[in-house]
Every structure is written in structure tokens, then in C-alpha cells.
Amino acid sequence: MKKVTFLFCSKVNQDACLQAHNAKRALHEDTTPLIWDAELAEDAQAWADHLVTLGKMVHSSVADQGENLYMAWSTVPIAATCSQAVEAW
């Protein structure tokens, strides 16, 4: 059986994430830019940590919170960026 290793960023670059998301949002009429929400980010991190224990990607059922899930893989350790995730959606 092949060994799977997960690599996670310990800190997200908030500005880079907002820029990546907002660049795509700006392509749509009447779509306002996102702003960083620390509480939402904390919830998202808790869900990401939970997904690690599950070993699979599933959406949360928390009301009023949506999410875009992203996973990347490589034969060498890499740390995915928000821009890569946004471009993959």
C-alpha cells in the first residue's frame, strides 16, 4: 500500500487569498469584494482539520457558510496557494 503524506500550510496569506478571490469576483457584475472574516477563517480551519481525520473531501453542512474545497498532489512536497485553488475551481 502506498503511503500518503499530507502537507498543510500553517498560516494562510490572507491578502493573497482575498486578491485571488476578488480578482475572479470582479469579472461578474454586481459582485462585491470579499473581506477577511477571522471567525469564518477559524471555522474553515476547524473543518479542514476534520477533513484530515476523515481522509476525504466532503462539504460541511453548516448553514450560511459555503466552501470551495481544493486538493493538490505531487510526487514531491508542495504547499498549494490560494491562487492555485481559485484557478482550479
Side-chain angles (χ1 to χ4, degrees):
M1 181 177 215
K2 193 181 246 186
K3 181 180 177 183
V4 176
T5 303
F6 293 97
L7 175 67
F8 300 95
C9 296
S10 59
K11 177 134 176 67
V12 171
N13 182 329
Q14 296 174 11
D15 291 333
C17 285
L18 285 174
Q19 286 177 357
H21 280 85
N22 288 333
K24 293 296 183 190
R25 290 175 67 83
L27 298 174
H28 304 278
E29 287 185 37
D30 302 323
T31 305
T32 59
L34 297 175
I35 58 169
W36 191 263
D37 182 309
E39 185 177 334
L40 184 59
E42 189 176 309
D43 289 351
Q45 184 61 60
W47 185 249
D49 294 341
H50 175 69
L51 293 179
V52 171
T53 66
L54 292 180
K56 62 183 180 177
M57 305 261 285
V58 294
H59 285 282
S60 166
S61 60
V62 174
D64 299 327
Q65 289 184 5
E67 70 236 354
N68 294 311
L69 302 177
Y70 174 74
M71 178 173 60
W73 58 91
S74 173
T75 57
V76 296
I78 60 167
T81 66
C82 287
S83 285
Q84 290 169 322
V86 169
E87 289 300 319
W89 297 325

